[in-house]
Amino acid sequence: MFGPTAPVLRVDPDAARANLAAVRGRTAGRILVAVVKDNAYGHGAAALAHALAREGVRRFAAGTVEEACALQDAGVPGEIMNLRLFRTGEAREIRERGIVQTVFAAGHLRALAEGAGDAAGRPARVQIKIDTGMGRFGAPPERFDALVRQAADAGCFRIEGVFSTLAEDPAFDPEQIGRFLDLRRQNAGRLRAAGHEAIWHLCSSDGILRWPDVEADAVRTGALLCGFPPAHGPQGPSPPFPLRPVARLSVPFLDIRDLPAGARFGYAGLPPLSSPARLGFAGIGQIHGLPAELGGRADALVGGRRCRILAVGGEYTVIRLDPSLPEPGRLAATLLGTEGDQEISLADWQRRAALSPYRALTGLRGCRRE
C-alpha cells in the first residue's frame, strides 16, 4: 500500500482574470485593492496575488504583518497593506519594509513612531480607519482631526489612505455612506495640501454589488476575486454578477472498491449500500478541515462526471463513482473546480450544504497550495 498524497489546491489564473475584469467593469476605473487576507480566504495568497499582479493589480491587503511580509518575500510586486492590528514589536519591520499599516488610535501612531529603531529614517506609511457606525475597529469621525495632527507633529508619517467598513445592512449602509462622504468632502483637500496623497475607500465586496456608485477613489475586494459572493450580501445584483470559481481542489484516490448491495463502508452510522456500487476513497477528510456537511449533499467531479460524496470521514472522503468510468486506478477527484463542461464551486457548497465559502477554505489544512 502506498502512502497518501497531499490534496492540491490550485488557483485558476483564467478564472481570477475573469473575476477581475468583472469587478473592474463594475467599479468604473476606481483603484482596486485586492484583499488576500487569511491566505486569500484559504486559496493561497501568493498564488492569487501573482495571478492578479500579472493583470496590473498593484495594491494588496493582507490580514497580519506576517502575511504582508510573506507576500513581499514571495516577490509580489506593488504595495502591501495590513488591514488589521499590529504588535508593538512589529513597528520596526513595518517601517523597514514599507508596509502600509492600518491605524485608528493615538497608541498606534506612537508605537510606529517610537518603535522604528534603525528604520527611523523611513516614513511610516499608514491608512486611517474610521468607524462610521459598525461599532468595530476604527476611529470615530470626530477623532480624525486629532489623529492627523498627531501624525503631523511626529513628522514621520505618510497618510496614504482613509477607509471604513460597511455593516452590510441595506437599511443602515446609506447612513454610513453619508458619514464617510461628509468626512471625505471636509478633509480630502486638506490632506492633499499637507502632502498626503490619500485614497478614500469604503466599499468591499458587498458594497461593490449593492452600492457601485459611491463616490470614492478605490474599492477593495477578496471574495469577488476568488469567485464567491460576500458572506452577508446579495448573491449578485440583477443582471447577475459573473463569478468563476478560482479554487481547484483535486484529491487522489487511496483506494477504489466494488462492493455488493448490503455491504457496509466506513464507521458506524453510515447505512449499508442499497445497490452494488463502486466506491472511491479520496485522500482528504476532516483532519484536513474538509467539512463533514458535504457528505450526502455535495458532488465531486471524477472523469468529468458528477459523482455523489457519500461521507466525509476523519481521514478520507467516500465518493460513489460512475461504474463506467475507465481506468479507475488512475482517477482523481475534483472537489472544487471544473472538468470539461462540469463545475463545482464554493457557491455549490454554500447552496447544497449551507457552508460559508469563507469557512470552507480557510479551514482547509494539510493541502499543497499552488
Side-chain angles (χ1 to χ4, degrees):
M1 181 174 180
F2 299 99
T5 302
V8 178
L9 184 66
R10 291 186 173 90
V11 165
D12 180 346
D14 292 335
R17 187 181 305 115
N19 294 338
L20 174 62
V23 170
R24 283 173 166 165
R26 190 166 181 82
T27 54
R30 292 182 180 90
I31 295 167
L32 175 69
V33 180
V35 178
V36 291
K37 65 182 180 181
D38 305 321
N39 201 19
Y41 303 95
H43 287 69
L48 181 60
H50 277 297
L52 296 171
R54 287 192 290 271
E55 302 305 313
V57 176
R58 286 297 179 268
R59 293 176 187 257
F60 299 92
T64 63
V65 173
E66 182 180 9
E67 281 191 340
C69 293
L71 288 170
Q72 289 184 338
D73 292 344
V76 174
E79 175 183 291
I80 313 292
M81 175 185 180
N82 176 28
L83 278 173
R84 296 181 181 142
L85 299 174
F86 66 101
R87 295 187 295 271
T88 302
E90 294 173 321
R92 177 171 176 255
E93 190 162 33
I94 289 168
R95 289 184 63 174
E96 192 172 68
R97 286 177 171 261
I99 294 167
V100 181
Q101 176 60 47
T102 296
V103 296
F104 52 83
H108 301 161
L109 295 175
R110 278 197 303 273
L112 287 172
E114 297 171 2
D118 56 11
R122 298 179 178 233
R125 304 172 66 187
V126 297
Q127 291 206 25
I128 298 175
K129 184 168 188 180
I130 300 298
D131 176 14
T132 52
M134 192 175 179
R136 182 202 75 175
F137 303 126
E142 60 269 21
R143 288 287 302 156
F144 182 75
D145 283 347
L147 287 173
V148 172
R149 285 197 303 272
Q150 183 182 351
D153 290 344
C156 63
F157 286 95
R158 199 161 73 203
I159 300 172
E160 300 194 359
V162 182
F163 73 103
S164 188
T165 301
L166 291 172
E168 300 182 3
D169 177 348
F172 182 55
D173 285 354
E175 187 173 337
Q176 288 189 268
I177 291 169
R179 292 172 184 169
F180 182 79
L181 294 182
D182 284 345
L183 190 72
R184 181 175 183 255
R185 281 190 289 268
Q186 295 162 11
N187 293 281
R190 291 168 52 195
L191 286 179
R192 281 196 301 271
H196 301 291
E197 294 297 327
I199 61 170
W200 292 70
H201 49 111
L202 176 64
C203 288
S204 52
S205 296
D206 178 85
I208 289 170
L209 296 182
R210 209 187 292 273
W211 314 106
D213 299 322
V214 169
E215 295 178 15
D217 305 305
V219 295
R220 58 186 187 274
T221 179
L224 297 181
L225 296 175
C226 291
F228 60 87
H232 308 104
Q235 298 303 304
S238 183
F241 192 73
L243 291 175
R244 288 179 55 185
V246 167
R248 188 177 194 279
L249 178 60
S250 59
V251 189
F253 283 109
L254 305 180
D255 193 12
I256 293 177
R257 307 289 298 277
D258 289 301
L259 297 178
R264 303 189 66 91
F265 61 96
Y267 288 101
L270 295 176
L273 292 171
S274 59
S275 60
R278 173 170 289 170
L279 301 186
F281 296 80
I284 188 169
Q286 293 178 50
I287 62 169
H288 302 92
L290 191 69
E293 296 94 320
L294 296 175
R297 299 187 180 100
D299 294 334
L301 298 178
V302 184
R305 304 177 196 180
R306 299 185 79 94
C307 300
R308 179 51 54 99
I309 296 173
L310 297 183
V312 177
E315 302 172 33
Y316 55 84
T317 291
V318 186
I319 300 170
R320 185 167 188 148
L321 304 180
D322 185 326
S324 65
L325 284 168
E327 301 185 70
R330 301 179 63 181
L331 295 174
T334 297
L335 274 66
L336 287 169
T338 59
E339 284 189 14
D341 60 356
Q342 296 291 318
E343 177 181 276
I344 294 177
S345 68
L346 287 169
D348 291 323
W349 285 12
Q350 187 175 31
R351 183 176 63 254
R352 288 170 175 256
L355 282 172
S356 157
Y358 184 86
R359 173 199 158 193
L361 284 193
T362 54
L364 285 183
R365 53 194 176 270
C367 294
R368 192 169 79 249
R369 288 173 165 85
E370 297 177 352

